[in-house]
Amino acid sequence: MSDAVPEAGIPAAAEDEPGAGPVPEYDPAAPAPLGVPRTPTGNSEVDAQLERLADADHLATDGHVEVYEDVHRGLRDALTALDARPGPPAPPSTYGSRS
């Protein structure tokens, strides 16, 4: 019996299980989904950018920056487009002019 304890997140060897092959080596730098839920906003442009974040789940950490910058650019463009759209006219003032 061994007193060795595997580190958290590292699978223990399955040597005692019949037919078990070698346990794959744990690589903490390997791409792994973060499992962060993305709730739809109702704005199709923003939702498309939020879904683009899922692309980072399949990249190594050094590839995340490109995805994050692309999403940031897209969200900024979506917000700028909202500012550029004409809104409803302002309601007339209920105050009379004072002289």
Side-chain angles (χ1 to χ4, degrees):
M1 180 178 212
S2 171
D3 291 337
V5 177
E7 291 184 40
I10 300 176
E15 298 158 353
D16 297 335
E17 296 179 28
V23 175
E25 186 175 322
Y26 175 72
D27 182 4
L34 296 176
V36 177
R38 288 174 289 279
T39 305
T41 65
N43 181 303
S44 60
E45 294 174 40
V46 172
D47 291 342
Q49 294 301 321
L50 293 178
E51 284 303 314
R52 170 92 168 89
L53 289 173
D55 293 347
D57 286 348
H58 308 290
L59 299 172
T61 305
D62 60 350
H64 289 193
V65 172
E66 182 180 342
V67 173
Y68 295 156
E69 287 177 347
D70 184 47
V71 169
H72 181 257
R73 189 177 315 108
L75 291 172
R76 189 177 54 229
D77 291 347
L79 288 173
T80 301
L82 290 174
D83 288 340
R85 292 183 191 153
S93 175
T94 57
Y95 298 104
S97 65
R98 297 182 183 185
S99 320

Coordinates of all heavy atoms in Angstrom, one line a residue:
M1 N 0.8 -1.2 0.0 CA 0.0 0.0 0.0 C 0.9 1.2 0.0 O 1.9 1.3 0.7 CB -0.9 0.0 1.2 CG -1.8 1.2 1.3 SD -2.8 0.9 2.8 CE -4.2 1.7 2.3
S2 N 0.5 2.2 -0.8 CA 1.3 3.4 -0.9 C 0.6 4.6 -0.2 O -0.6 4.7 -0.2 CB 1.5 3.7 -2.4 OG 2.1 5.0 -2.5
D3 N 1.4 5.4 0.4 CA 0.9 6.6 1.0 C 0.8 7.8 0.1 O 0.4 8.9 0.5 CB 1.7 7.0 2.3 CG 1.6 6.0 3.4 OD1 0.6 5.3 3.4 OD2 2.5 5.9 4.2
A4 N 1.2 7.6 -1.2 CA 1.2 8.7 -2.1 C -0.2 9.1 -2.5 O -1.1 8.3 -2.7 CB 1.9 8.3 -3.4
V5 N -0.5 10.4 -2.5 CA -1.8 10.9 -2.8 C -1.7 11.7 -4.1 O -0.8 12.6 -4.2 CB -2.3 11.8 -1.7 CG1 -3.6 12.5 -2.0 CG2 -2.4 11.1 -0.4
P6 N -2.5 11.4 -5.1 CA -2.5 12.1 -6.4 C -2.9 13.6 -6.1 O -3.7 13.9 -5.3 CB -3.4 11.4 -7.3 CG -4.4 10.7 -6.4 CD -3.6 10.4 -5.1
E7 N -2.3 14.5 -6.9 CA -2.6 15.9 -6.8 C -4.1 16.1 -7.3 O -4.6 15.3 -8.1 CB -1.7 16.7 -7.7 CG -0.3 16.8 -7.2 CD 0.6 17.7 -8.1 OE1 0.1 18.7 -8.5 OE2 1.7 17.3 -8.3
A8 N -4.7 17.1 -6.8 CA -6.1 17.4 -7.2 C -6.2 17.6 -8.7 O -5.4 18.3 -9.3 CB -6.6 18.7 -6.5
G9 N -7.1 17.0 -9.3 CA -7.4 17.1 -10.8 C -6.6 16.2 -11.6 O -6.7 16.1 -12.8
I10 N -5.6 15.4 -11.0 CA -4.8 14.5 -11.8 C -5.4 13.1 -11.5 O -5.6 12.7 -10.4 CB -3.4 14.5 -11.3 CG1 -2.8 15.9 -11.6 CG2 -2.6 13.4 -12.1 CD1 -1.4 16.1 -11.1
P11 N -5.8 12.4 -12.6 CA -6.4 11.1 -12.4 C -5.5 10.1 -11.8 O -4.3 10.1 -12.1 CB -6.8 10.7 -13.8 CG -6.1 11.6 -14.8 CD -5.7 12.8 -14.0
A12 N -6.0 9.3 -10.9 CA -5.2 8.2 -10.3 C -5.0 7.1 -11.3 O -5.9 6.9 -12.1 CB -5.9 7.8 -9.0
A13 N -4.0 6.3 -11.1 CA -3.7 5.2 -12.0 C -4.8 4.1 -11.8 O -5.2 3.9 -10.7 CB -2.3 4.6 -11.8
A14 N -5.2 3.5 -12.9 CA -6.3 2.5 -12.8 C -5.7 1.1 -13.0 O -6.2 0.3 -13.8 CB -7.3 2.8 -13.9
E15 N -4.6 0.9 -12.4 CA -3.8 -0.4 -12.6 C -4.6 -1.6 -12.1 O -4.4 -2.7 -12.6 CB -2.5 -0.3 -11.9 CG -1.6 0.8 -12.4 CD -0.5 1.3 -11.4 OE1 -0.6 0.8 -10.3 OE2 0.3 2.1 -11.8
D16 N -5.5 -1.4 -11.1 CA -6.2 -2.5 -10.5 C -7.4 -2.9 -11.3 O -7.9 -4.0 -11.1 CB -6.6 -2.2 -9.1 CG -5.4 -2.0 -8.1 OD1 -4.4 -2.5 -8.4 OD2 -5.6 -1.3 -7.1
E17 N -7.8 -2.1 -12.3 CA -9.0 -2.4 -13.1 C -8.6 -3.3 -14.2 O -7.6 -3.0 -14.9 CB -9.6 -1.1 -13.6 CG -10.1 -0.2 -12.5 CD -10.7 1.1 -13.1 OE1 -11.2 1.0 -14.3 OE2 -10.7 2.1 -12.4
P18 N -9.3 -4.4 -14.4 CA -9.0 -5.3 -15.5 C -9.2 -4.7 -16.8 O -10.2 -4.0 -17.0 CB -9.9 -6.5 -15.3 CG -10.9 -6.1 -14.2 CD -10.4 -4.9 -13.6
G19 N -8.3 -4.8 -17.7 CA -8.4 -4.3 -19.1 C -8.1 -2.8 -19.2 O -8.3 -2.2 -20.2
A20 N -7.8 -2.2 -18.0 CA -7.5 -0.7 -18.1 C -6.1 -0.5 -18.7 O -5.1 -1.2 -18.4 CB -7.5 -0.2 -16.7
G21 N -6.1 0.4 -19.7 CA -4.8 0.7 -20.3 C -4.1 1.8 -19.5 O -4.5 2.1 -18.4
P22 N -3.1 2.3 -20.1 CA -2.3 3.4 -19.4 C -3.2 4.6 -19.3 O -4.0 4.9 -20.1 CB -1.1 3.6 -20.3 CG -1.5 3.1 -21.6 CD -2.5 2.0 -21.4
V23 N -3.1 5.3 -18.2 CA -3.8 6.5 -17.9 C -3.1 7.6 -18.6 O -1.9 7.8 -18.6 CB -3.8 6.8 -16.4 CG1 -4.5 8.1 -16.1 CG2 -4.5 5.7 -15.6
P24 N -3.9 8.4 -19.4 CA -3.2 9.5 -20.2 C -2.6 10.5 -19.2 O -3.1 10.8 -18.1 CB -4.4 10.2 -20.9 CG -5.6 9.6 -20.4 CD -5.3 8.4 -19.6
E25 N -1.5 11.0 -19.6 CA -0.7 12.0 -18.8 C -1.5 13.3 -18.6 O -2.1 13.8 -19.6 CB 0.6 12.3 -19.4 CG 1.5 13.1 -18.5 CD 2.9 13.3 -19.1 OE1 3.4 12.4 -19.7 OE2 3.4 14.4 -19.0
Y26 N -1.6 13.8 -17.5 CA -2.3 15.0 -17.2 C -1.5 16.2 -17.7 O -0.3 16.3 -17.3 CB -2.6 15.1 -15.7 CG -3.2 16.5 -15.3 CD1 -4.5 16.7 -15.6 CD2 -2.5 17.4 -14.6 CE1 -5.1 17.9 -15.3 CE2 -3.1 18.6 -14.2 CZ -4.4 18.9 -14.6 OH -5.0 20.1 -14.2
D27 N -2.1 17.1 -18.4 CA -1.4 18.3 -19.0 C -2.2 19.5 -18.6 O -3.3 19.8 -19.2 CB -1.2 18.2 -20.5 CG -0.5 19.4 -21.0 OD1 0.0 20.2 -20.3 OD2 -0.4 19.5 -22.3
P28 N -1.8 20.2 -17.5 CA -2.6 21.4 -17.1 C -2.6 22.5 -18.1 O -3.5 23.3 -18.1 CB -1.9 21.8 -15.8 CG -0.5 21.3 -15.9 CD -0.6 20.0 -16.7
A29 N -1.8 22.5 -19.1 CA -1.8 23.5 -20.1 C -2.6 23.1 -21.3 O -2.8 23.9 -22.3 CB -0.3 23.8 -20.6
A30 N -3.2 21.9 -21.3 CA -4.0 21.5 -22.5 C -5.3 22.3 -22.5 O -5.8 22.7 -21.5 CB -4.3 20.0 -22.3
P31 N -5.8 22.6 -23.7 CA -7.1 23.3 -23.8 C -8.2 22.5 -23.1 O -8.3 21.3 -23.2 CB -7.3 23.4 -25.3 CG -6.0 23.1 -26.0 CD -5.2 22.3 -25.0
A32 N -9.0 23.3 -22.4 CA -10.2 22.6 -21.7 C -11.3 23.7 -21.7 O -11.0 24.8 -21.4 CB -9.8 22.2 -20.3
P33 N -12.5 23.3 -21.9 CA -13.6 24.2 -21.8 C -13.7 24.7 -20.4 O -13.6 24.0 -19.4 CB -14.9 23.3 -22.2 CG -14.3 22.2 -22.9 CD -12.9 21.9 -22.4
L34 N -14.0 26.0 -20.3 CA -14.2 26.7 -19.0 C -15.6 26.4 -18.4 O -15.7 26.5 -17.2 CB -13.9 28.2 -19.1 CG -12.5 28.6 -19.5 CD1 -12.4 30.1 -19.7 CD2 -11.5 28.1 -18.5
G35 N -16.5 26.1 -19.2 CA -17.9 25.8 -18.7 C -18.6 27.1 -18.3 O -19.5 27.0 -17.4
V36 N -18.2 28.2 -18.8 CA -18.9 29.5 -18.4 C -20.1 29.6 -19.2 O -20.1 29.7 -20.5 CB -17.9 30.7 -18.6 CG1 -18.7 32.0 -18.3 CG2 -16.7 30.5 -17.8
P37 N -21.3 29.7 -18.6 CA -22.5 29.8 -19.4 C -22.6 31.2 -20.0 O -22.2 32.2 -19.5 CB -23.6 29.7 -18.3 CG -23.0 30.0 -17.0 CD -21.5 29.7 -17.1
R38 N -23.2 31.2 -21.2 CA -23.4 32.5 -21.9 C -24.9 32.6 -22.1 O -25.5 31.9 -22.8 CB -22.7 32.4 -23.3 CG -21.2 32.5 -23.1 CD -20.4 32.4 -24.4 NE -20.4 31.0 -24.9 CZ -19.6 30.0 -24.4 NH1 -18.8 30.3 -23.5 NH2 -19.7 28.8 -24.9
T39 N -25.5 33.6 -21.5 CA -26.9 33.9 -21.5 C -27.2 34.8 -22.7 O -26.6 35.9 -22.8 CB -27.4 34.5 -20.2 OG1 -27.0 33.7 -19.1 CG2 -28.9 34.7 -20.2
P40 N -28.1 34.4 -23.6 CA -28.5 35.3 -24.7 C -29.0 36.6 -24.2 O -29.7 36.7 -23.2 CB -29.6 34.5 -25.4 CG -29.5 33.1 -25.0 CD -28.9 33.1 -23.6
T41 N -28.6 37.7 -24.9 CA -29.1 39.0 -24.5 C -30.3 39.5 -25.3 O -30.9 40.5 -24.9 CB -27.9 40.0 -24.8 OG1 -27.7 40.1 -26.2 CG2 -26.7 39.7 -24.1
G42 N -30.6 38.9 -26.4 CA -31.7 39.3 -27.3 C -31.2 40.2 -28.4 O -31.9 40.4 -29.3
N43 N -30.0 40.6 -28.3 CA -29.4 41.4 -29.4 C -28.5 40.4 -30.2 O -27.5 39.9 -29.7 CB -28.5 42.6 -28.9 CG -27.9 43.4 -29.9 OD1 -27.2 42.9 -30.8 ND2 -28.2 44.7 -29.9
S44 N -28.9 40.2 -31.5 CA -28.2 39.2 -32.3 C -26.7 39.5 -32.5 O -25.9 38.5 -32.5 CB -28.9 39.0 -33.6 OG -28.8 40.2 -34.4
E45 N -26.3 40.7 -32.6 CA -24.9 41.1 -32.8 C -24.1 40.8 -31.5 O -23.0 40.2 -31.6 CB -24.7 42.6 -33.1 CG -25.4 42.9 -34.5 CD -25.3 44.4 -34.7 OE1 -24.3 45.1 -34.4 OE2 -26.3 44.9 -35.3
V46 N -24.6 41.1 -30.4 CA -24.0 40.9 -29.1 C -23.9 39.3 -28.8 O -22.9 38.8 -28.4 CB -24.7 41.6 -28.0 CG1 -24.1 41.2 -26.6 CG2 -24.5 43.1 -28.2
D47 N -25.0 38.7 -29.1 CA -25.1 37.2 -28.8 C -24.1 36.5 -29.7 O -23.4 35.5 -29.3 CB -26.5 36.7 -29.1 CG -27.5 37.1 -28.1 OD1 -27.1 37.6 -27.0 OD2 -28.7 37.0 -28.3
A48 N -23.9 36.9 -31.0 CA -22.9 36.3 -31.8 C -21.5 36.5 -31.3 O -20.7 35.5 -31.3 CB -23.0 36.9 -33.2
Q49 N -21.2 37.6 -30.7 CA -19.9 37.9 -30.1 C -19.7 37.0 -28.9 O -18.6 36.5 -28.6 CB -19.7 39.4 -29.8 CG -19.6 40.3 -31.0 CD -18.5 39.9 -31.9 OE1 -17.4 39.5 -31.5 NE2 -18.8 39.9 -33.2
L50 N -20.7 36.9 -28.0 CA -20.6 36.1 -26.8 C -20.4 34.6 -27.2 O -19.6 33.9 -26.5 CB -21.8 36.2 -26.0 CG -22.0 37.6 -25.3 CD1 -23.3 37.7 -24.5 CD2 -20.9 38.0 -24.5
E51 N -21.0 34.1 -28.2 CA -20.8 32.8 -28.7 C -19.4 32.5 -29.2 O -18.8 31.5 -29.1 CB -21.8 32.4 -29.8 CG -23.2 32.1 -29.2 CD -23.2 31.0 -28.1 OE1 -22.6 29.9 -28.3 OE2 -23.8 31.2 -27.1
R52 N -18.8 33.6 -29.8 CA -17.4 33.5 -30.3 C -16.5 33.2 -29.1 O -15.4 32.6 -29.3 CB -17.1 34.9 -30.9 CG -15.7 35.1 -31.3 CD -15.3 34.6 -32.7 NE -14.0 35.1 -33.1 CZ -12.9 34.4 -33.0 NH1 -12.9 33.3 -32.3 NH2 -11.8 34.9 -33.4
L53 N -16.8 33.6 -27.9 CA -16.0 33.3 -26.7 C -15.7 31.8 -26.6 O -14.7 31.3 -26.1 CB -16.6 33.8 -25.4 CG -16.5 35.3 -25.3 CD1 -17.3 35.7 -24.1 CD2 -15.1 35.8 -25.2
A54 N -16.7 30.9 -27.1 CA -16.5 29.5 -27.0 C -15.3 29.0 -27.8 O -14.8 27.9 -27.5 CB -17.8 28.8 -27.4
D55 N -14.9 29.8 -28.8 CA -13.7 29.4 -29.6 C -12.5 29.3 -28.7 O -11.6 28.5 -29.0 CB -13.5 30.4 -30.7 CG -14.6 30.4 -31.7 OD1 -15.4 29.4 -31.7 OD2 -14.7 31.3 -32.6
A56 N -12.4 30.1 -27.6 CA -11.3 30.0 -26.7 C -11.2 28.7 -26.0 O -10.1 28.3 -25.5 CB -11.3 31.2 -25.8
D57 N -12.3 28.0 -25.8 CA -12.3 26.7 -25.1 C -11.4 25.7 -25.7 O -11.0 24.8 -25.1 CB -13.7 26.2 -25.0 CG -14.5 26.9 -24.0 OD1 -14.0 27.7 -23.2 OD2 -15.8 26.7 -24.0
H58 N -11.1 25.8 -27.0 CA -10.4 24.8 -27.8 C -9.0 25.2 -28.1 O -8.3 24.5 -28.9 CB -11.2 24.4 -29.0 CG -12.6 24.1 -28.7 ND1 -13.0 22.9 -28.1 CD2 -13.8 24.7 -29.0 CE1 -14.3 22.9 -27.9 NE2 -14.8 24.0 -28.4
L59 N -8.6 26.4 -27.6 CA -7.3 26.9 -27.8 C -6.4 26.8 -26.6 O -6.9 26.9 -25.5 CB -7.4 28.3 -28.3 CG -8.1 28.6 -29.6 CD1 -8.3 30.1 -29.8 CD2 -7.5 28.0 -30.8
A60 N -5.1 26.8 -26.8 CA -4.2 26.9 -25.7 C -4.3 28.3 -25.2 O -4.8 29.2 -25.9 CB -2.7 26.6 -26.2
T61 N -3.8 28.5 -24.0 CA -3.9 29.8 -23.3 C -3.4 31.0 -24.2 O -4.0 32.0 -24.2 CB -3.2 29.8 -22.0 OG1 -3.7 28.7 -21.2 CG2 -3.5 31.1 -21.2
D62 N -2.3 30.8 -24.8 CA -1.7 31.9 -25.6 C -2.6 32.2 -26.8 O -2.4 33.3 -27.4 CB -0.3 31.6 -26.1 CG -0.2 30.3 -26.9 OD1 -1.2 29.6 -27.1 OD2 0.9 30.1 -27.5
G63 N -3.6 31.4 -27.2 CA -4.5 31.8 -28.3 C -5.7 32.5 -27.8 O -6.5 33.0 -28.6
H64 N -5.9 32.6 -26.5 CA -7.1 33.3 -26.0 C -7.1 34.8 -26.3 O -8.2 35.3 -26.5 CB -7.2 33.1 -24.5 CG -7.5 31.7 -24.1 ND1 -7.9 31.4 -22.8 CD2 -7.6 30.5 -24.8 CE1 -8.2 30.1 -22.7 NE2 -7.9 29.5 -23.9
V65 N -6.0 35.4 -26.3 CA -5.9 36.8 -26.4 C -6.5 37.3 -27.8 O -7.3 38.2 -27.8 CB -4.4 37.3 -26.3 CG1 -4.3 38.8 -26.7 CG2 -3.9 37.1 -24.9
E66 N -6.2 36.5 -28.8 CA -6.8 36.9 -30.1 C -8.3 36.8 -30.1 O -8.9 37.7 -30.7 CB -6.2 36.0 -31.2 CG -6.7 36.3 -32.6 CD -6.1 35.4 -33.7 OE1 -5.1 34.7 -33.4 OE2 -6.7 35.3 -34.8
V67 N -8.8 35.8 -29.5 CA -10.3 35.6 -29.4 C -10.9 36.8 -28.6 O -11.9 37.4 -29.0 CB -10.7 34.3 -28.9 CG1 -12.2 34.2 -28.6 CG2 -10.3 33.1 -29.8
Y68 N -10.3 37.0 -27.4 CA -10.8 38.1 -26.6 C -10.8 39.5 -27.2 O -11.7 40.2 -27.1 CB -10.1 38.1 -25.2 CG -10.2 36.9 -24.4 CD1 -9.3 36.6 -23.5 CD2 -11.3 36.0 -24.5 CE1 -9.4 35.4 -22.6 CE2 -11.4 34.9 -23.7 CZ -10.5 34.6 -22.8 OH -10.6 33.5 -22.0
E69 N -9.7 39.7 -27.9 CA -9.6 41.0 -28.6 C -10.6 41.1 -29.8 O -11.2 42.2 -30.0 CB -8.2 41.2 -29.2 CG -7.2 41.5 -28.1 CD -5.7 41.7 -28.6 OE1 -5.5 41.3 -29.8 OE2 -4.9 42.2 -27.8
D70 N -10.8 40.0 -30.5 CA -11.8 40.0 -31.5 C -13.2 40.2 -31.0 O -14.0 41.0 -31.5 CB -11.7 38.7 -32.3 CG -12.7 38.6 -33.5 OD1 -12.7 39.6 -34.3 OD2 -13.4 37.6 -33.6
V71 N -13.5 39.6 -29.9 CA -14.9 39.7 -29.3 C -15.0 41.2 -28.7 O -16.1 41.8 -28.9 CB -15.1 38.7 -28.1 CG1 -16.3 39.0 -27.3 CG2 -15.2 37.3 -28.7
H72 N -14.0 41.7 -28.1 CA -14.0 43.1 -27.6 C -14.3 44.1 -28.7 O -15.1 45.0 -28.6 CB -12.7 43.4 -26.9 CG -12.7 44.8 -26.3 ND1 -12.0 45.8 -26.9 CD2 -13.3 45.3 -25.2 CE1 -12.2 46.9 -26.1 NE2 -13.0 46.6 -25.1
R73 N -13.6 43.9 -29.8 CA -13.8 44.7 -31.0 C -15.2 44.6 -31.5 O -15.9 45.7 -31.8 CB -12.8 44.3 -32.1 CG -12.8 45.3 -33.3 CD -11.7 44.9 -34.3 NE -10.4 44.5 -33.7 CZ -9.9 43.2 -33.6 NH1 -10.6 42.2 -34.1 NH2 -8.8 43.0 -33.1
G74 N -15.8 43.4 -31.6 CA -17.1 43.2 -32.1 C -18.2 43.8 -31.1 O -19.1 44.4 -31.6
L75 N -18.0 43.7 -29.8 CA -18.9 44.3 -28.9 C -18.8 45.8 -28.9 O -19.9 46.5 -28.9 CB -18.6 43.8 -27.4 CG -18.9 42.3 -27.2 CD1 -18.4 41.9 -25.8 CD2 -20.4 42.1 -27.3
R76 N -17.6 46.4 -29.1 CA -17.5 47.8 -29.2 C -18.2 48.3 -30.4 O -18.9 49.3 -30.4 CB -16.0 48.2 -29.2 CG -15.7 49.7 -29.1 CD -14.3 50.0 -29.0 NE -13.6 49.4 -30.2 CZ -12.4 48.7 -30.1 NH1 -11.9 48.5 -28.9 NH2 -11.9 48.2 -31.1
D77 N -18.0 47.6 -31.6 CA -18.7 48.0 -32.8 C -20.2 47.9 -32.6 O -21.0 48.8 -33.1 CB -18.3 47.1 -34.0 CG -16.8 47.3 -34.4 OD1 -16.2 48.4 -33.9 OD2 -16.3 46.5 -35.1
A78 N -20.7 46.9 -31.9 CA -22.2 46.8 -31.7 C -22.7 48.0 -30.9 O -23.8 48.5 -31.1 CB -22.5 45.4 -31.0
L79 N -21.9 48.4 -29.9 CA -22.4 49.5 -29.0 C -22.3 50.8 -29.8 O -23.2 51.7 -29.7 CB -21.5 49.6 -27.8 CG -21.7 48.5 -26.7 CD1 -20.7 48.6 -25.6 CD2 -23.1 48.7 -26.1
T80 N -21.3 51.0 -30.6 CA -21.2 52.2 -31.5 C -22.3 52.2 -32.4 O -22.9 53.3 -32.7 CB -19.8 52.1 -32.2 OG1 -18.8 52.1 -31.3 CG2 -19.7 53.4 -33.1
A81 N -22.7 51.1 -33.0 CA -23.9 51.1 -33.9 C -25.2 51.5 -33.2 O -26.0 52.1 -33.8 CB -24.0 49.7 -34.5
L82 N -25.3 51.1 -31.9 CA -26.5 51.5 -31.2 C -26.5 53.1 -31.0 O -27.6 53.7 -31.1 CB -26.5 50.9 -29.8 CG -26.8 49.4 -29.8 CD1 -26.6 48.9 -28.3 CD2 -28.2 49.1 -30.3
D83 N -25.4 53.7 -30.8 CA -25.3 55.1 -30.7 C -25.6 55.8 -32.0 O -26.1 56.9 -32.0 CB -23.9 55.6 -30.2 CG -23.7 55.2 -28.7 OD1 -24.7 55.0 -28.0 OD2 -22.5 55.2 -28.3
A84 N -25.3 55.2 -33.1 CA -25.5 55.8 -34.4 C -26.9 55.7 -34.9 O -27.3 56.5 -35.8 CB -24.6 55.2 -35.4
R85 N -27.7 54.8 -34.4 CA -29.1 54.7 -34.8 C -29.9 55.8 -34.3 O -29.9 56.2 -33.1 CB -29.7 53.4 -34.3 CG -29.1 52.2 -34.9 CD -29.8 50.9 -34.4 NE -29.0 49.7 -34.8 CZ -29.0 48.6 -34.2 NH1 -29.7 48.4 -33.1 NH2 -28.2 47.6 -34.6
P86 N -30.8 56.4 -35.2 CA -31.7 57.5 -34.7 C -32.7 56.9 -33.8 O -33.3 55.9 -34.0 CB -32.3 58.0 -36.0 CG -32.2 56.9 -37.0 CD -31.0 56.1 -36.6
G87 N -32.9 57.6 -32.7 CA -33.9 57.2 -31.7 C -35.2 58.0 -31.9 O -35.3 58.8 -32.8
P88 N -36.1 57.8 -31.1 CA -37.4 58.5 -31.2 C -37.1 60.0 -30.8 O -36.2 60.3 -30.1 CB -38.3 57.9 -30.1 CG -37.4 57.2 -29.2 CD -36.2 56.8 -30.0
P89 N -37.9 60.9 -31.4 CA -37.7 62.3 -31.0 C -37.9 62.6 -29.6 O -38.7 61.9 -28.9 CB -38.7 63.0 -31.9 CG -39.8 62.0 -32.2 CD -39.1 60.7 -32.2
A90 N -37.3 63.5 -29.1 CA -37.4 63.9 -27.6 C -38.8 64.5 -27.4 O -39.3 65.2 -28.3 CB -36.3 64.9 -27.3
P91 N -39.4 64.2 -26.3 CA -40.7 64.8 -26.1 C -40.6 66.3 -25.9 O -39.6 66.8 -25.5 CB -41.2 64.1 -24.8 CG -39.9 63.6 -24.1 CD -39.0 63.4 -25.2
P92 N -41.7 67.0 -26.3 CA -41.7 68.5 -26.1 C -41.6 68.9 -24.6 O -42.1 68.2 -23.8 CB -43.0 68.9 -26.7 CG -43.9 67.7 -26.7 CD -43.0 66.5 -26.8
S93 N -41.0 69.9 -24.4 CA -40.8 70.4 -23.0 C -42.2 70.9 -22.5 O -42.9 71.5 -23.2 CB -39.8 71.6 -23.0 OG -39.7 72.1 -21.7
T94 N -42.5 70.6 -21.3 CA -43.7 71.0 -20.7 C -43.6 72.4 -20.0 O -44.5 72.9 -19.5 CB -44.2 70.0 -19.6 OG1 -43.2 69.8 -18.6 CG2 -44.5 68.7 -20.3
Y95 N -42.4 72.9 -20.0 CA -42.1 74.2 -19.4 C -42.2 75.3 -20.4 O -41.6 75.1 -21.5 CB -40.7 74.2 -18.7 CG -40.6 73.2 -17.5 CD1 -39.9 72.0 -17.7 CD2 -41.3 73.5 -16.4 CE1 -39.8 71.1 -16.7 CE2 -41.2 72.6 -15.3 CZ -40.5 71.4 -15.5 OH -40.4 70.5 -14.4
G96 N -42.8 76.3 -20.2 CA -42.8 77.5 -21.1 C -41.5 78.2 -21.0 O -40.8 78.1 -20.0
S97 N -41.2 79.0 -22.0 CA -40.0 79.8 -21.9 C -40.2 80.9 -20.9 O -41.2 81.5 -20.8 CB -39.6 80.3 -23.3 OG -40.6 81.2 -23.7
R98 N -39.2 81.2 -20.2 CA -39.2 82.2 -19.1 C -38.3 83.3 -19.6 O -37.1 83.1 -19.9 CB -38.8 81.7 -17.8 CG -39.7 80.6 -17.3 CD -39.4 80.1 -16.0 NE -40.3 79.0 -15.5 CZ -40.2 78.5 -14.4 NH1 -39.4 78.9 -13.5 NH2 -41.1 77.5 -14.1
S99 N -38.8 84.5 -19.6 CA -37.9 85.6 -20.0 C -37.9 86.6 -18.9 O -38.8 86.9 -18.2 CB -38.4 86.4 -21.2 OG -38.8 85.5 -22.2

